[in-house]
């Protein structure tokens, strides 16, 4: 937790600006919290052992705390107002960040740990009750995984007229990925555009030489327009894997569309 209250005057204060001489408590449950400010971990507040705070973010990793502060710094440059860990008493929830552009408020949830669909729905429902739009930004743990469709569905939103998922990278900031760029086979944001089209063409030539049965129906159609399988356009050899659980090679789907 990066924000706490000073018990004497209800003033909110960030852990980076706090002093051990003061007494602090949680903005949500009002329980006493302890300032942890050392030379190794990022300054933060933690509930004293035995607390049953429902909104406590105990167990936050260093990456989560650092990422939240970095997002706070970045978003302050782009939005009219940014709040760090605001306490929403009406719904008893505390998002990581809230940002305002003009009259519109957005809730930012920076998610590093695994979270169930039920909890995502519950949190999102609470924010929407206050007419806040919600953006989930996924941390490093999610980027090291091969995300499946059910995970994409939990966090995707419509952004720039596409269904996309937001990721945080310290060197790049917020990176958006369209749903079709996440194939469930490669680690997120690890894929690079590669010159693999010649390799795919070589595999296709080998398939023709081996007289593989899946080649000939397409080749027969191409013969009618005086074309060959090995001469199909480069657009038929995608550099990224396509999602959707295809049971045939991607080039076959694309060439069928072009022929149609």
């Amino acid at each position: 937790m990066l924000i706490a209250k000073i018990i004497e005057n209800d003033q909110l204060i960030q852990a980076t600006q706090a002093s051990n001489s003061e007494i602090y408590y949680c903005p949500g449950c009002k329980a006493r919290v302890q300032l942890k400010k050392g030379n190794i971990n990022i300054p933060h507040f933690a509930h004293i052992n035995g607390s049953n705070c429902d909104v406590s973010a105990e167990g936050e990793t260093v990456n989560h705390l650092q990422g939240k502060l970095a997002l706070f710094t970045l978003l302050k440059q782009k939005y009219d107002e940014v709040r760090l860990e605001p306490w929403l008493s009406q719904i008893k929830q505390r998002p990581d960040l809230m940002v305002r552009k003009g009259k519109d408020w957005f809730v930012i949830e920076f998610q590093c740990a695994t979270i169930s669909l039920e909890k995502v729905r519950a949190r999102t429902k609470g924010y929407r009750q206050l007419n806040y739009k919600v953006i989930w930004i996924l941390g490093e743990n999610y980027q090291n995984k091969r995300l499946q469709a059910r995970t994409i569905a939990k966090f995707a939103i419509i952004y720039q007229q596409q269904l996309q998922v937001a990721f945080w990278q310290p060197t790049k900031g917020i990176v958006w990925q369209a749903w079709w760029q996440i194939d469930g086979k490669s680690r997120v944001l690890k894929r690079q555009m590669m010159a693999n089209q010649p390799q795919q063409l070589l595999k296709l030539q080998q398939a023709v030489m081996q007289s593989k049965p899946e080649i000939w129906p397409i080749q027969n159609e191409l013969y009618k327009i005086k074309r060959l399988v090995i001469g199909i356009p480069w657009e038929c050899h995608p550099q990224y894997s396509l999602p959707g659980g295809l049971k045939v090679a991607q080039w076959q789907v694309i060439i069928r569309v072009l022929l149609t």
Side-chain angles (χ1 to χ4, degrees), residues 77 103 122 198 208 211 221 229 253:
Q77 303 171 13
K103 296 182 179 180
V208 172
S211 298
E221 292 189 44
V229 171
V253 175

Side-chain angles (χ1 to χ4, degrees), residues 11-110:
Q11 177 188 353
L12 290 172
I13 189 169
Q14 290 189 40
T16 52
Q17 302 169 345
S19 168
N20 286 316
S21 62
E22 295 282 357
I23 297 176
Y24 305 99
Y25 67 94
C26 173
C29 69
K30 305 297 191 294
R32 177 83 177 271
V33 293
Q34 180 181 4
L35 173 64
K36 294 186 179 256
K37 203 171 187 178
N39 297 323
I40 300 177
N41 293 329
I42 189 170
H44 64 282
F45 298 101
H47 283 74
I48 297 173
N49 291 338
S51 170
N52 294 318
C53 179
D54 292 332
V55 295
S56 171
E58 306 294 6
E60 286 183 306
T61 64
V62 173
N63 286 341
H64 190 207
L65 292 169
Q66 289 178 337
K68 195 187 302 186
L69 278 178
L71 278 168
F72 178 66
T73 302
L74 173 68
L75 295 172
K76 282 199 300 184
Q77 303 171 13
K78 299 183 176 183
Y79 288 87
D80 300 328
E81 185 178 352
V82 180
R83 296 179 184 176
L84 181 63
E85 293 182 348
W87 170 243
L88 305 177
S89 58
Q90 305 97 312
I91 57 174
K92 294 185 174 3
Q93 289 179 227
R94 184 178 58 212
D96 290 320
L97 297 139
M98 282 184 62
V99 298
R100 179 178 62 83
K101 194 74 168 179
K103 296 182 179 180
D104 296 326
W105 280 95
F106 298 83
V107 165
I108 307 290
E109 285 284 14
F110 179 49

